[in-house]
């Protein structure tokens, strides 16, 4: 990655009659940044920013979010245009390479991904070590973390060829590993990938085909899932992507870094929200019970949150939720379940929340997870597979961000500092001299 950080001015800080200056770097879109890398050296102080809400951890050219406008760009292209006009592997190529592929590039990429979809036969042994009722995300963390034990020929992060193979292996094998986690949980035999199917149809078939009969993928449903995957692919420096970058900054192999990202995504405040949002809709159960849940969400003493609402960055409607909402209606119409009770609850909850002063004042809009759960359940996935599908799609963003970090001339091992407010330095006291 070529760095494009060019000083566009300076900002000064004055402390105890001493003034120091820091360069300002201009962004293509969004906030400029103050380069404070010399802050500690010049002032002896750190910044304090829990959750890094005001901190740019890196320079990136992959994704841009404008939280106030509610826009999301993948390499400059608006997410709604990509979701409507592109497909998973084309967007994956775009995120990895920075440009949409021409015909030859697309054919080469498709062929490479297709030929890496199978997993080592011994990888299957990992599944039988889990209980059948193990959460599929627990299986994903374990099995993906184990990949580095099988693919030693693509773990040297300093070799661009090995990084490319590892990147294609990760993207290609995630659907196979995810489908195997699902099959294992329902006691059905694993289904091999097929080279004549596109990425998402292949995944749907590996999940829903059985030995006794094959699975014909309904194009409306496969297209909807492909769109859902595109929406989930990348999202700047979110918690799981930052986890992948931090793990990768130590030189850890890409398979281990992706496993770390899966673990972070699992949290209900992050990727686990789609599972939590559907569980919440089921708990609410009917439109007339919505007001009591809205009151709980507003009560500071109640830990309940409206799952699928709010976002660290979006203070406007999540543009992915708009596309997700449309895909949800398309799937339910295609399946003839338009009057799905949960959809009625979701639409009424959205309507009420968007009018309620608490949510309006705090700018809490539905996020991508609000409608994805209803859609994924309609596609036939159990609730505990929702975050697995999120991880499948986000693997492209994680590996693209990891590659960018490795190639970034400014990258260092991540090592945040702290403000220490613990006990002052003191001497050891022998047991018999301590108070009772
Ligand atoms: C994802 O980072 C990413 O990009 C993530 C993601 C991605 O693609 O990687 O977009 C995927 O994780 C989407 C978010 C999924 N999570 C949920 O839907 C869980 C429910 N949402 C909340 O947990 C919450 O909104 C967060 C965690 C998403 C954001 O938390 P913040 O940053 O603390 O939210 P905030 O600062 O904007 O909150 C402002 C206020 C706070 O109250 P006050 O302290 O001002 O009194 O709104 C409250 C919050 O307590 N609030 C909510 C709420 N979300 C925030 N109150 C009720 N219900 C909610 N959902």
């Amino acid at each position: 990655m070529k760095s494009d950080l060019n000083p566009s001015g300076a900002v000064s800080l004055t402390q105890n009659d001493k003034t120091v200056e820091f360069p300002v770097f201009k962004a293509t879109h969004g906030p400029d940044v103050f380069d404070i890398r010399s802050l500690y050296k010049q002032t002896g102080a750190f910044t304090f920013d829990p959750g890094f809400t005001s901190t740019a951890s890196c320079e990136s050219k992959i994704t841009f979010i404008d939280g106030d406008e509610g826009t999301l760009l993948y390499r400059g292209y608006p997410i709604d245009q990509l979701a409507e006009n592109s497909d998973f592997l084309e967007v994956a190529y775009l995120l990895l390479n920075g440009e949409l592929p021409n015909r030859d590039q697309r054919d080469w990429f498709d062929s490479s991904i297709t030929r890496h979809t199978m997993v080592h036969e011994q990888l299957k042994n990992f599944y039988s070590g889990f209980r059948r009722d193990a959460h599929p995300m627990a299986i994903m963390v374990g099995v993906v973390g184990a990949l580095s034990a099988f693919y030693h020929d693509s773990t040297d992060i300093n070799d661009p060829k090995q990084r490319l193979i590892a990147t294609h292996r990760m993207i290609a094998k995630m659907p196979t590993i995810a489908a195997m986690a699902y099959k294992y949980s329902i006691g059905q035999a694993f289904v091999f990938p097929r080279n004549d199917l596109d990425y998402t149809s292949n995944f749907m078939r590996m999940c829903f085909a059985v030995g006794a009969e094959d699975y014909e993928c309904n194009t409306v449903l496969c297209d909807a899932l492909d769109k859902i995957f595109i929406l989930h692919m990348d999202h700047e420096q979110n918690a799981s992507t930052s986890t992948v970058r931090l793990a990768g900054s130590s030189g850890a192999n890409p398979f281990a870094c992706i496993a770390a990202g899966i673990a972070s995504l699992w949290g209900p405040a992050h990727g686990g929200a789609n599972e939590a949002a559907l569980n919440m809709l089921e708990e609410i159960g009917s439109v007339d019970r919505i007001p009591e849940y809205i009151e709980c969400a507003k009560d500071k003493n109640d830990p309940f949150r409206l799952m699928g609402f709010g976002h660290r960055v979006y203070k406007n409607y999540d543009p992915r939720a708009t596309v997700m909402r449309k895909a949800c209606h398309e799937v339910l119409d295609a399946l003839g379940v338009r009057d799905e009770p949960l959809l009625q609850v979701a639409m009424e909850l959205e309507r009420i929340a968007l009018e309620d002063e608490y949510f309006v004042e705090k700018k809490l809009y539905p996020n991508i997870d609000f409608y994805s759960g209803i859609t994924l359940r309609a596609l036939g996935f159990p609730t505990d597979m929702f975050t697995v599908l999120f991880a499948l799609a986000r693997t492209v963003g994680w590996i693209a961000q990891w590659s960018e970090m490795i190639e970034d001339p400014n990258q260092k091992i991540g090592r945040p500092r702290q403000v220490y407010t613990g006990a002052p330095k003191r001497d050891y006291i022998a047991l018999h001299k301590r108070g009772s």
Side-chain angles (χ1 to χ4, degrees):
M1 159 183 155
K2 176 178 138 331
S3 175
D4 285 317
L5 293 177
N6 304 306
S8 66
V11 64
S12 61
L13 180 68
T14 299
Q15 179 194 36
N16 306 330
D17 300 331
K18 179 186 176 189
T19 298
V20 291
E21 282 209 340
F22 301 98
V24 177
F25 293 140
K26 188 149 196 56
T28 309
H29 293 312
D32 295 344
V33 293
F34 301 158
D35 177 4
I36 59 162
R37 284 176 288 185
S38 66
L39 176 75
Y40 178 58
K41 187 177 174 187
Q42 293 200 66
T43 69
F46 297 139
T47 57
F48 181 63
D49 186 18
F52 312 114
T53 52
S54 296
T55 296
S57 62
C58 62
E59 174 187 6
S60 183
K61 304 172 185 287
I62 298 174
T63 295
F64 173 71
I65 298 170
D66 185 324
D68 295 324
E69 291 298 313
T71 54
L72 166 60
L73 308 177
Y74 283 170
R75 298 286 190 178
Y77 294 99
I79 189 67
D80 54 320
Q81 291 183 27
L82 291 170
E84 286 308 316
N85 303 302
S86 189
D87 64 61
F88 181 87
L89 280 188
E90 181 176 78
V91 179
Y93 182 97
L94 170 68
L95 286 179
L96 291 171
N97 299 288
E99 297 298 337
L100 290 166
N102 61 32
R103 182 73 267 163
D104 289 345
Q105 291 163 335
R106 176 67 199 263
D107 292 345
W108 166 81
F109 188 64
D110 280 13
S111 171
S112 175
I113 296 296
T114 300
R115 274 149 190 76
H116 281 293
T117 52
M118 292 178 68
V119 294
H120 192 290
E121 272 301 288
Q122 285 178 232
L123 203 74
K124 297 181 178 180
N125 300 336
F126 283 88
Y127 290 81
S128 55
F130 290 100
R131 287 170 39 152
R132 291 281 180 177
D133 63 353
H135 195 291
M137 282 297 278
I139 296 176
M140 295 299 290
V141 171
V143 174
V144 171
L147 288 176
S148 49
F150 289 84
Y151 299 110
H152 296 292
D153 62 337
S154 61
T155 53
D156 176 359
I157 64 160
N158 299 307
D159 179 345
K161 288 193 181 70
Q162 291 198 30
R163 293 206 302 270
L164 183 70
I165 295 171
T167 295
H168 287 195
R169 276 175 166 156
M170 252 344 311
I171 294 171
K173 295 181 194 308
M174 278 299 274
T176 309
I177 292 168
M180 290 168 73
Y182 172 58
K183 284 302 199 187
Y184 184 75
S185 72
I186 57 175
Q188 289 185 1
F190 298 142
V191 175
F192 275 99
R194 266 195 11 205
N195 291 351
D196 61 324
L197 296 177
D198 67 64
Y199 190 87
T200 302
S201 305
N202 212 355
F203 172 66
M204 289 283 271
R205 183 180 168 277
M206 287 190 281
C207 289
F208 300 120
V210 289
E213 61 184 37
D214 209 340
Y215 172 83
E216 281 301 316
C217 192
N218 173 315
T219 49
V220 172
L221 304 187
C222 286
D223 288 351
L225 186 57
D226 199 80
K227 200 174 286 185
I228 292 168
F229 284 160
I230 290 171
L231 296 175
H232 285 81
M233 266 184 181
D234 194 48
H235 213 237
E236 289 191 359
Q237 306 310 317
N238 58 83
S240 53
T241 298
S242 298
T243 301
V244 170
R245 278 181 172 260
L246 195 56
S249 72
S250 73
N253 73 72
F255 305 108
C257 295
I258 298 301
I262 294 171
S264 171
L265 185 74
W266 194 2
H270 188 16
N274 51 19
E275 177 176 358
L278 192 90
N279 291 337
M280 176 192 74
L281 291 173
E282 287 184 326
E283 186 185 331
I284 293 173
S286 62
V287 168
D288 59 332
R289 295 190 63 202
I290 290 175
E292 73 181 84
Y293 283 85
I294 293 266
E295 288 315 304
C296 291
K298 290 155 69 171
D299 179 356
K300 293 312 289 173
N301 299 317
D302 188 328
F304 175 76
R305 290 278 176 274
L306 274 188
M307 302 316 281
F309 277 80
H311 198 276
R312 176 58 57 80
V313 175
Y314 288 122
K315 300 311 170 189
N316 196 324
Y317 212 95
D318 181 337
R320 303 169 300 175
T322 307
V323 180
M324 193 68 248
R325 192 172 190 263
K326 183 167 175 282
C328 182
H329 286 288
E330 285 167 359
V331 166
L332 297 182
D333 284 344
L335 294 169
V337 288
R338 191 74 167 84
D339 57 351
E340 152 73 62
L342 285 189
L343 180 64
Q344 309 312 322
V345 174
M347 289 174 67
E348 179 61 8
L349 178 59
E350 180 185 35
R351 185 191 66 78
I352 295 175
L354 292 182
E355 292 171 0
D356 185 285
E357 187 191 331
Y358 173 91
F359 292 90
V360 171
E361 183 246 325
K362 294 181 185 297
K363 298 183 179 180
L364 301 176
Y365 295 91
N367 57 49
I368 187 166
D369 297 300
F370 186 62
Y371 281 100
S372 60
I374 300 171
T375 313
L376 295 176
R377 196 179 76 149
L379 288 171
F381 295 101
T383 309
D384 63 8
M385 277 293 290
F386 292 178
T387 311
V388 172
L389 302 187
F390 194 150
L392 186 162
R394 187 52 59 87
T395 293
V396 176
W398 287 333
I399 205 78
Q401 297 268 354
W402 171 80
S403 300
E404 184 178 67
M405 183 268 302
I406 296 285
E407 295 160 8
D408 183 346
N410 289 310
Q411 84 96 8
K412 295 174 178 290
I413 186 167
R415 182 41 175 102
R417 306 303 299 269
Q418 63 175 19
V419 53
Y420 176 71
T421 58
K425 187 177 176 185
R426 52 186 170 169
D427 294 326
Y428 180 77
I429 303 169
L431 179 56
H432 67 277
K433 292 183 177 175
R434 291 173 209 159
S436 56

mmCIF file of all heavy atoms in Angstrom, residues 302-334:
data_model
loop_
_atom_site.group_PDB
_atom_site.id
_atom_site.type_symbol
_atom_site.label_atom_id
_atom_site.label_comp_id
_atom_site.label_asym_id
_atom_site.label_seq_id
_atom_site.Cartn_x
_atom_site.Cartn_y
_atom_site.Cartn_z
ATOM 1 N N ASP A 302 -31.806 -0.308 33.462
ATOM 2 C CA ASP A 302 -32.099 -1.620 32.866
ATOM 3 C C ASP A 302 -31.057 -1.894 31.776
ATOM 4 O O ASP A 302 -30.890 -1.081 30.878
ATOM 5 C CB ASP A 302 -33.513 -1.594 32.245
ATOM 6 C CG ASP A 302 -33.953 -2.977 31.783
ATOM 7 O OD1 ASP A 302 -33.073 -3.764 31.368
ATOM 8 O OD2 ASP A 302 -35.155 -3.276 31.854
ATOM 9 N N PRO A 303 -30.321 -3.005 31.878
ATOM 10 C CA PRO A 303 -29.271 -3.296 30.884
ATOM 11 C C PRO A 303 -29.825 -3.615 29.489
ATOM 12 O O PRO A 303 -29.081 -3.676 28.521
ATOM 13 C CB PRO A 303 -28.548 -4.514 31.463
ATOM 14 C CG PRO A 303 -29.551 -5.167 32.364
ATOM 15 C CD PRO A 303 -30.411 -4.066 32.911
ATOM 16 N N PHE A 304 -31.178 -3.792 29.382
ATOM 17 C CA PHE A 304 -31.751 -4.142 28.079
ATOM 18 C C PHE A 304 -31.482 -3.052 27.038
ATOM 19 O O PHE A 304 -31.629 -1.857 27.315
ATOM 20 C CB PHE A 304 -33.270 -4.346 28.229
ATOM 21 C CG PHE A 304 -33.965 -4.593 26.907
ATOM 22 C CD1 PHE A 304 -33.867 -5.842 26.279
ATOM 23 C CD2 PHE A 304 -34.663 -3.579 26.256
ATOM 24 C CE1 PHE A 304 -34.485 -6.071 25.057
ATOM 25 C CE2 PHE A 304 -35.283 -3.797 25.028
ATOM 26 C CZ PHE A 304 -35.194 -5.044 24.427
ATOM 27 N N ARG A 305 -31.046 -3.471 25.889
ATOM 28 C CA ARG A 305 -30.887 -2.578 24.751
ATOM 29 C C ARG A 305 -31.742 -3.094 23.609
ATOM 30 O O ARG A 305 -31.935 -4.312 23.489
ATOM 31 C CB ARG A 305 -29.412 -2.587 24.289
ATOM 32 C CG ARG A 305 -28.452 -1.905 25.254
ATOM 33 C CD ARG A 305 -28.496 -0.400 25.032
ATOM 34 N NE ARG A 305 -27.661 0.312 25.987
ATOM 35 C CZ ARG A 305 -28.080 0.674 27.199
ATOM 36 N NH1 ARG A 305 -29.296 0.338 27.601
ATOM 37 N NH2 ARG A 305 -27.277 1.343 28.006
ATOM 38 N N LEU A 306 -32.261 -2.187 22.775
ATOM 39 C CA LEU A 306 -32.980 -2.649 21.590
ATOM 40 C C LEU A 306 -31.950 -3.192 20.614
ATOM 41 O O LEU A 306 -31.237 -2.432 19.960
ATOM 42 C CB LEU A 306 -33.743 -1.486 20.935
ATOM 43 C CG LEU A 306 -35.132 -1.167 21.446
ATOM 44 C CD1 LEU A 306 -35.801 -0.134 20.546
ATOM 45 C CD2 LEU A 306 -36.011 -2.408 21.572
ATOM 46 N N MET A 307 -31.839 -4.495 20.512
ATOM 47 C CA MET A 307 -30.829 -5.080 19.650
ATOM 48 C C MET A 307 -31.172 -4.790 18.189
ATOM 49 O O MET A 307 -32.336 -4.847 17.798
ATOM 50 C CB MET A 307 -30.749 -6.592 19.872
ATOM 51 C CG MET A 307 -30.438 -6.968 21.301
ATOM 52 S SD MET A 307 -29.138 -5.983 22.022
ATOM 53 C CE MET A 307 -27.705 -6.751 21.309
ATOM 54 N N GLY A 308 -30.146 -4.404 17.427
ATOM 55 C CA GLY A 308 -30.391 -4.019 16.035
ATOM 56 C C GLY A 308 -30.615 -2.532 15.875
ATOM 57 O O GLY A 308 -30.859 -2.033 14.787
ATOM 58 N N PHE A 309 -30.503 -1.792 17.038
ATOM 59 C CA PHE A 309 -30.626 -0.326 16.970
ATOM 60 C C PHE A 309 -29.351 0.318 17.486
ATOM 61 O O PHE A 309 -28.697 -0.193 18.397
ATOM 62 C CB PHE A 309 -31.794 0.151 17.825
ATOM 63 C CG PHE A 309 -33.128 0.063 17.140
ATOM 64 C CD1 PHE A 309 -33.792 -1.145 17.069
ATOM 65 C CD2 PHE A 309 -33.689 1.180 16.538
ATOM 66 C CE1 PHE A 309 -35.016 -1.250 16.419
ATOM 67 C CE2 PHE A 309 -34.918 1.090 15.885
ATOM 68 C CZ PHE A 309 -35.581 -0.130 15.828
ATOM 69 N N GLY A 310 -29.024 1.453 16.935
ATOM 70 C CA GLY A 310 -27.864 2.209 17.397
ATOM 71 C C GLY A 310 -26.597 1.758 16.712
ATOM 72 O O GLY A 310 -26.510 0.648 16.186
ATOM 73 N N HIS A 311 -25.618 2.640 16.730
ATOM 74 C CA HIS A 311 -24.339 2.312 16.096
ATOM 75 C C HIS A 311 -23.292 3.294 16.586
ATOM 76 O O HIS A 311 -23.585 4.461 16.846
ATOM 77 C CB HIS A 311 -24.451 2.414 14.565
ATOM 78 C CG HIS A 311 -23.343 1.702 13.862
ATOM 79 N ND1 HIS A 311 -22.127 2.284 13.638
ATOM 80 C CD2 HIS A 311 -23.258 0.445 13.388
ATOM 81 C CE1 HIS A 311 -21.344 1.418 13.018
ATOM 82 N NE2 HIS A 311 -22.003 0.295 12.863
ATOM 83 N N ARG A 312 -22.082 2.813 16.762
ATOM 84 C CA ARG A 312 -20.981 3.662 17.212
ATOM 85 C C ARG A 312 -20.716 4.803 16.226
ATOM 86 O O ARG A 312 -20.420 5.916 16.632
ATOM 87 C CB ARG A 312 -19.711 2.800 17.379
ATOM 88 C CG ARG A 312 -18.460 3.545 17.748
ATOM 89 C CD ARG A 312 -18.565 4.336 19.033
ATOM 90 N NE ARG A 312 -18.919 3.554 20.200
ATOM 91 C CZ ARG A 312 -18.062 2.820 20.867
ATOM 92 N NH1 ARG A 312 -16.829 2.700 20.444
ATOM 93 N NH2 ARG A 312 -18.448 2.193 21.964
ATOM 94 N N VAL A 313 -20.917 4.535 14.935
ATOM 95 C CA VAL A 313 -20.567 5.561 13.934
ATOM 96 C C VAL A 313 -21.825 6.163 13.288
ATOM 97 O O VAL A 313 -21.970 7.365 13.190
ATOM 98 C CB VAL A 313 -19.652 4.955 12.843
ATOM 99 C CG1 VAL A 313 -19.377 5.964 11.723
ATOM 100 C CG2 VAL A 313 -18.346 4.463 13.461
ATOM 101 N N TYR A 314 -22.755 5.307 12.883
ATOM 102 C CA TYR A 314 -23.942 5.850 12.186
ATOM 103 C C TYR A 314 -24.822 6.634 13.159
ATOM 104 O O TYR A 314 -25.294 6.084 14.147
ATOM 105 C CB TYR A 314 -24.778 4.728 11.569
ATOM 106 C CG TYR A 314 -24.144 4.091 10.353
ATOM 107 C CD1 TYR A 314 -23.882 2.731 10.320
ATOM 108 C CD2 TYR A 314 -23.782 4.858 9.244
ATOM 109 C CE1 TYR A 314 -23.284 2.147 9.216
ATOM 110 C CE2 TYR A 314 -23.185 4.278 8.136
ATOM 111 C CZ TYR A 314 -22.926 2.932 8.132
ATOM 112 O OH TYR A 314 -22.334 2.345 7.044
ATOM 113 N N LYS A 315 -24.995 7.884 12.910
ATOM 114 C CA LYS A 315 -25.969 8.705 13.667
ATOM 115 C C LYS A 315 -27.078 9.104 12.692
ATOM 116 O O LYS A 315 -27.710 10.121 12.812
ATOM 117 C CB LYS A 315 -25.268 9.926 14.266
ATOM 118 C CG LYS A 315 -24.133 9.539 15.230
ATOM 119 C CD LYS A 315 -24.580 8.477 16.252
ATOM 120 C CE LYS A 315 -23.422 7.903 17.053
ATOM 121 N NZ LYS A 315 -23.832 6.727 17.888
ATOM 122 N N ASN A 316 -27.253 8.257 11.702
ATOM 123 C CA ASN A 316 -28.301 8.372 10.710
ATOM 124 C C ASN A 316 -28.648 6.926 10.377
ATOM 125 O O ASN A 316 -28.040 6.008 10.899
ATOM 126 C CB ASN A 316 -27.738 9.112 9.469
ATOM 127 C CG ASN A 316 -28.850 9.611 8.563
ATOM 128 O OD1 ASN A 316 -29.883 8.927 8.422
ATOM 129 N ND2 ASN A 316 -28.657 10.768 7.986
ATOM 130 N N TYR A 317 -29.584 6.757 9.461
ATOM 131 C CA TYR A 317 -29.989 5.392 9.111
ATOM 132 C C TYR A 317 -28.791 4.624 8.517
ATOM 133 O O TYR A 317 -28.110 5.133 7.637
ATOM 134 C CB TYR A 317 -31.116 5.467 8.078
ATOM 135 C CG TYR A 317 -32.118 4.340 8.184
ATOM 136 C CD1 TYR A 317 -33.295 4.487 8.906
ATOM 137 C CD2 TYR A 317 -31.860 3.108 7.579
ATOM 138 C CE1 TYR A 317 -34.220 3.444 8.981
ATOM 139 C CE2 TYR A 317 -32.770 2.068 7.660
ATOM 140 C CZ TYR A 317 -33.951 2.230 8.362
ATOM 141 O OH TYR A 317 -34.852 1.196 8.444
ATOM 142 N N ASP A 318 -28.509 3.427 9.006
ATOM 143 C CA ASP A 318 -27.440 2.585 8.449
ATOM 144 C C ASP A 318 -27.815 2.251 7.003
ATOM 145 O O ASP A 318 -28.849 1.618 6.768
ATOM 146 C CB ASP A 318 -27.359 1.299 9.308
ATOM 147 C CG ASP A 318 -26.259 0.338 8.864
ATOM 148 O OD1 ASP A 318 -25.842 0.413 7.687
ATOM 149 O OD2 ASP A 318 -25.852 -0.489 9.696
ATOM 150 N N PRO A 319 -27.031 2.689 6.013
ATOM 151 C CA PRO A 319 -27.415 2.464 4.609
ATOM 152 C C PRO A 319 -27.567 0.987 4.281
ATOM 153 O O PRO A 319 -28.311 0.611 3.388
ATOM 154 C CB PRO A 319 -26.268 3.093 3.812
ATOM 155 C CG PRO A 319 -25.114 3.129 4.745
ATOM 156 C CD PRO A 319 -25.702 3.293 6.109
ATOM 157 N N ARG A 320 -26.896 0.146 5.049
ATOM 158 C CA ARG A 320 -27.021 -1.299 4.831
ATOM 159 C C ARG A 320 -28.399 -1.788 5.276
ATOM 160 O O ARG A 320 -28.950 -2.728 4.710
ATOM 161 C CB ARG A 320 -25.914 -2.022 5.589
ATOM 162 C CG ARG A 320 -24.511 -1.584 5.223
ATOM 163 C CD ARG A 320 -23.501 -2.127 6.185
ATOM 164 N NE ARG A 320 -23.765 -1.661 7.560
ATOM 165 C CZ ARG A 320 -23.078 -2.078 8.621
ATOM 166 N NH1 ARG A 320 -22.102 -2.964 8.476
ATOM 167 N NH2 ARG A 320 -23.361 -1.604 9.827
ATOM 168 N N ALA A 321 -28.934 -1.119 6.304
ATOM 169 C CA ALA A 321 -30.262 -1.534 6.812
ATOM 170 C C ALA A 321 -31.324 -1.271 5.753
ATOM 171 O O ALA A 321 -32.279 -2.044 5.612
ATOM 172 C CB ALA A 321 -30.590 -0.792 8.102
ATOM 173 N N THR A 322 -31.150 -0.212 4.979
ATOM 174 C CA THR A 322 -32.112 0.102 3.911
ATOM 175 C C THR A 322 -32.131 -1.018 2.875
ATOM 176 O O THR A 322 -33.194 -1.520 2.502
ATOM 177 C CB THR A 322 -31.710 1.431 3.221
ATOM 178 O OG1 THR A 322 -31.560 2.444 4.221
ATOM 179 C CG2 THR A 322 -32.748 1.851 2.201
ATOM 180 N N VAL A 323 -30.953 -1.452 2.463
ATOM 181 C CA VAL A 323 -30.862 -2.534 1.465
ATOM 182 C C VAL A 323 -31.341 -3.846 2.081
ATOM 183 O O VAL A 323 -32.051 -4.641 1.478
ATOM 184 C CB VAL A 323 -29.418 -2.683 0.946
ATOM 185 C CG1 VAL A 323 -29.325 -3.800 -0.095
ATOM 186 C CG2 VAL A 323 -28.913 -1.373 0.355
ATOM 187 N N MET A 324 -30.984 -4.040 3.365
ATOM 188 C CA MET A 324 -31.342 -5.268 4.080
ATOM 189 C C MET A 324 -32.855 -5.376 4.204
ATOM 190 O O MET A 324 -33.459 -6.438 4.031
ATOM 191 C CB MET A 324 -30.694 -5.201 5.475
ATOM 192 C CG MET A 324 -30.685 -6.459 6.258
ATOM 193 S SD MET A 324 -29.619 -7.687 5.519
ATOM 194 C CE MET A 324 -30.869 -8.815 5.026
ATOM 195 N N ARG A 325 -33.499 -4.252 4.466
ATOM 196 C CA ARG A 325 -34.959 -4.215 4.641
ATOM 197 C C ARG A 325 -35.648 -4.638 3.343
ATOM 198 O O ARG A 325 -36.574 -5.446 3.332
ATOM 199 C CB ARG A 325 -35.348 -2.792 5.025
ATOM 200 C CG ARG A 325 -36.745 -2.557 5.526
ATOM 201 C CD ARG A 325 -36.802 -1.115 6.025
ATOM 202 N NE ARG A 325 -38.017 -0.810 6.744
ATOM 203 C CZ ARG A 325 -39.066 -0.216 6.179
ATOM 204 N NH1 ARG A 325 -39.031 0.079 4.895
ATOM 205 N NH2 ARG A 325 -40.124 0.082 6.902
ATOM 206 N N LYS A 326 -35.106 -4.114 2.211
ATOM 207 C CA LYS A 326 -35.667 -4.447 0.890
ATOM 208 C C LYS A 326 -35.468 -5.934 0.593
ATOM 209 O O LYS A 326 -36.396 -6.629 0.157
ATOM 210 C CB LYS A 326 -34.974 -3.580 -0.167
ATOM 211 C CG LYS A 326 -35.482 -3.727 -1.585
ATOM 212 C CD LYS A 326 -34.941 -2.583 -2.471
ATOM 213 C CE LYS A 326 -35.344 -2.778 -3.934
ATOM 214 N NZ LYS A 326 -34.491 -3.813 -4.603
ATOM 215 N N ALA A 327 -34.255 -6.432 0.904
ATOM 216 C CA ALA A 327 -33.969 -7.860 0.654
ATOM 217 C C ALA A 327 -34.888 -8.728 1.512
ATOM 218 O O ALA A 327 -35.376 -9.776 1.080
ATOM 219 C CB ALA A 327 -32.509 -8.160 0.964
ATOM 220 N N CYS A 328 -35.153 -8.259 2.728
ATOM 221 C CA CYS A 328 -36.029 -9.011 3.643
ATOM 222 C C CYS A 328 -37.421 -9.160 3.028
ATOM 223 O O CYS A 328 -37.974 -10.269 2.963
ATOM 224 C CB CYS A 328 -36.109 -8.278 4.976
ATOM 225 S SG CYS A 328 -37.115 -9.120 6.205
ATOM 226 N N HIS A 329 -37.955 -8.077 2.526
ATOM 227 C CA HIS A 329 -39.292 -8.141 1.910
ATOM 228 C C HIS A 329 -39.275 -9.030 0.672
ATOM 229 O O HIS A 329 -40.201 -9.820 0.450
ATOM 230 C CB HIS A 329 -39.764 -6.726 1.551
ATOM 231 C CG HIS A 329 -40.181 -5.918 2.742
ATOM 232 N ND1 HIS A 329 -41.346 -6.160 3.441
ATOM 233 C CD2 HIS A 329 -39.573 -4.903 3.395
ATOM 234 C CE1 HIS A 329 -41.444 -5.301 4.459
ATOM 235 N NE2 HIS A 329 -40.381 -4.532 4.452
ATOM 236 N N GLU A 330 -38.199 -8.951 -0.124
ATOM 237 C CA GLU A 330 -38.105 -9.785 -1.340
ATOM 238 C C GLU A 330 -38.110 -11.273 -0.984
ATOM 239 O O GLU A 330 -38.798 -12.085 -1.595
ATOM 240 C CB GLU A 330 -36.821 -9.441 -2.116
ATOM 241 C CG GLU A 330 -36.875 -8.128 -2.875
ATOM 242 C CD GLU A 330 -35.492 -7.668 -3.371
ATOM 243 O OE1 GLU A 330 -34.495 -8.383 -3.096
ATOM 244 O OE2 GLU A 330 -35.409 -6.598 -3.992
ATOM 245 N N VAL A 331 -37.345 -11.628 0.048
ATOM 246 C CA VAL A 331 -37.259 -13.047 0.449
ATOM 247 C C VAL A 331 -38.608 -13.529 0.972
ATOM 248 O O VAL A 331 -39.106 -14.596 0.601
ATOM 249 C CB VAL A 331 -36.154 -13.241 1.512
ATOM 250 C CG1 VAL A 331 -36.271 -14.599 2.191
ATOM 251 C CG2 VAL A 331 -34.777 -13.084 0.873
ATOM 252 N N LEU A 332 -39.228 -12.726 1.830
ATOM 253 C CA LEU A 332 -40.517 -13.143 2.413
ATOM 254 C C LEU A 332 -41.577 -13.244 1.326
ATOM 255 O O LEU A 332 -42.399 -14.170 1.324
ATOM 256 C CB LEU A 332 -40.928 -12.173 3.515
ATOM 257 C CG LEU A 332 -39.989 -12.106 4.732
ATOM 258 C CD1 LEU A 332 -40.522 -11.147 5.774
ATOM 259 C CD2 LEU A 332 -39.767 -13.480 5.346
ATOM 260 N N ASP A 333 -41.531 -12.316 0.348
ATOM 261 C CA ASP A 333 -42.480 -12.413 -0.770
ATOM 262 C C ASP A 333 -42.216 -13.680 -1.576
ATOM 263 O O ASP A 333 -43.136 -14.418 -1.912
ATOM 264 C CB ASP A 333 -42.334 -11.180 -1.693
ATOM 265 C CG ASP A 333 -42.967 -9.946 -1.092
ATOM 266 O OD1 ASP A 333 -43.766 -10.109 -0.131
ATOM 267 O OD2 ASP A 333 -42.663 -8.824 -1.538
ATOM 268 N N ALA A 334 -40.933 -13.957 -1.850
ATOM 269 C CA ALA A 334 -40.583 -15.144 -2.669
ATOM 270 C C ALA A 334 -41.019 -16.427 -1.976
ATOM 271 O O ALA A 334 -41.405 -17.409 -2.619
ATOM 272 C CB ALA A 334 -39.077 -15.172 -2.921
#
